Amino acid sequence: MNNIPFLVFARKLPDKFYLGLKFYKEFGRFPNWKNPQSYNEKLQWLKLYDRRPEYVTMVDKYAVKDYVSSIIGGEFIIPTLGIWHRPEDIEWDALPNQFVLKTTHGGGNEGVIICRDKTTFDRQKAIDLLNNNLKLDLYYISREWPYKNVPKRILAEKYIEPKSNNKDLADYKFFCFDGEVRGLFVATERQNPNGEVKFDFFDSDFNHLPFRQGHDHAGVTPAQPKNFDLMKKIAQQLSKGIPHVRIDLYDLEDKVLFGEYTFFHFSGLVKFEPEEWDYKFGSWLKLPHKYE
């Protein structure tokens, strides 16, 4: 089936109707809009009814840097190397030997381009990928409202890696509910060319949780990071007053760096295995009054 005509048609569908169809496709039922109970269906409710203007800044990968700096300080921010509107405007010669490129309006990890050696870097491939990413619109794909008005730009950042010999930069993603960390997952093996990323879920005390979502567990369970307590504190500060958000952080052993705000984990469209954890997470999410 050609997806292009469907996507053109889908853009015209009202958000609630479109989200109901997407949810039904994944879970075999429609969301309970009047009394949602599971975590995934509550995320769909938040897409529709928790639309605070500041969320637009918080998901903008460039604008969020000043926002976060004002709360926890600039030392937790990955340095910016450049910002452009088109790939043709990138000042390649001014970039260091190692850097990271991404679009400011989202696109997931697939949209992140990593250069570890500029002498072997495929510039044209990067330009083509960036042009494709600039055409993506997460709002129309998943109706994640905060992305609707984010300016589409290209961001270059400093390349970061852990201090140890382990080149796998783990990603720590904290599930926060009105400023309280209730759990997290650790993404590992992103750099493994022969396999896919692994996700391991933990409670707020870093006890491994017995469920999976989206990806298998790592062969070796990740150890508690050195700066775990500091990361929890940062996540709590950045999520205060927000019904639910995921705070993504990096632990470089000698410091912690902010990654991004994620309001809709997996867009609320990926099953928990076993399903009871969907309702466990849902019990932690207290929905606010409608804000439109």
Side-chain angles (χ1 to χ4, degrees):
M1 178 180 177
N2 188 335
N3 285 327
I4 295 178
F6 172 74
L7 291 175
V8 172
F9 167 73
R11 289 173 70 98
K12 301 178 182 179
L13 296 177
D15 289 350
K16 189 173 184 178
F17 184 71
Y18 178 84
L19 289 173
L21 292 178
K22 293 275 286 186
F23 194 87
Y24 183 87
K25 179 182 177 182
E26 298 301 327
F27 299 98
R29 63 183 178 87
F30 290 104
N32 183 343
W33 296 114
K34 293 184 178 180
N35 187 29
Q37 295 297 311
S38 76
Y39 175 72
N40 279 315
E41 64 183 352
K42 284 186 176 183
L43 290 185
Q44 308 312 315
W45 190 97
L46 289 172
K47 289 179 186 179
L48 293 179
Y49 301 120
D50 186 32
R51 299 187 169 188
R52 305 182 193 182
E54 61 267 31
Y55 290 173
V56 177
T57 297
M58 295 161 77
V59 301
D60 183 326
K61 290 179 171 55
Y62 179 61
V64 72
K65 292 173 183 281
D66 286 340
Y67 180 88
V68 171
S69 293
S70 70
I71 300 173
I72 60 174
E75 65 269 27
F76 298 101
I77 304 301
I78 299 174
T80 295
L81 302 176
I83 185 82
W84 307 276
H85 285 92
R86 306 182 307 155
E88 294 78 13
D89 297 332
I90 296 175
E91 301 170 29
W92 298 102
D93 293 340
L95 293 173
N97 188 52
Q98 296 181 315
F99 55 87
V100 174
L101 295 172
K102 61 182 70 171
T103 49
T104 57
H105 67 292
N109 292 303
E110 297 80 7
V112 177
I113 300 168
I114 300 174
C115 174
R116 295 183 179 85
D117 183 356
K118 200 158 68 166
T119 62
T120 59
F121 183 64
D122 190 334
R123 188 180 300 182
Q124 188 56 52
K125 182 179 179 181
I127 290 173
D128 292 342
L129 182 57
L130 288 169
N131 274 320
N132 286 333
N133 290 340
L134 287 171
K135 297 174 185 176
L136 290 176
D137 193 321
L138 285 184
Y139 167 67
Y140 283 110
I141 294 172
S142 58
R143 302 301 165 98
E144 297 183 21
W145 174 82
Y147 293 100
K148 185 176 183 179
N149 296 312
V150 175
K152 296 180 179 181
R153 296 158 294 173
I154 298 164
L155 174 67
E157 292 183 334
K158 180 180 178 180
Y159 174 77
I160 59 173
E161 59 184 354
K163 295 296 181 181
S164 66
N165 292 327
N166 181 11
K167 297 302 181 181
D168 183 21
L169 181 63
D171 203 353
Y172 299 90
K173 302 173 181 290
F174 292 81
F175 293 92
C176 304
F177 301 85
D178 195 16
E180 181 181 0
V181 172
R182 298 300 299 264
L184 72 148
F185 76 93
V186 184
T188 57
E189 300 186 34
R190 288 197 188 280
Q191 311 306 322
N192 183 357
N194 300 315
E196 64 174 25
V197 63
K198 301 296 189 293
F199 288 170
D200 286 86
F201 291 80
F202 300 84
D203 67 14
S204 59
D205 294 319
F206 213 80
N207 297 306
H208 199 265
L209 296 175
F211 73 88
R212 67 181 296 278
Q213 190 194 26
H215 295 273
D216 290 332
H217 296 160
V220 177
T221 301
Q224 180 173 315
K226 177 181 178 181
N227 293 305
F228 182 62
D229 289 338
L230 175 59
M231 285 194 288
K232 278 206 302 183
K233 180 180 178 181
I234 289 172
Q236 289 165 352
Q237 288 177 287
L238 294 179
S239 62
K240 185 177 181 181
I242 302 171
H244 172 57
V245 69
R246 204 186 74 204
I247 304 295
D248 298 356
L249 302 170
Y250 299 102
D251 180 12
L252 303 189
E253 299 173 31
D254 63 335
K255 60 182 174 181
V256 172
L257 292 175
F258 170 79
E260 64 181 10
Y261 279 95
T262 300
F263 284 94
F264 310 103
H265 168 69
F266 282 170
S267 199
L269 293 170
V270 177
K271 294 178 180 178
F272 287 74
E273 302 174 38
E275 185 184 25
E276 65 190 74
W277 286 93
D278 197 351
Y279 290 88
K280 180 71 171 177
F281 273 61
S283 70
W284 298 333
L285 206 175
K286 308 304 178 186
L287 295 178
H289 295 295
K290 293 180 181 181
Y291 185 105
E292 292 187 275

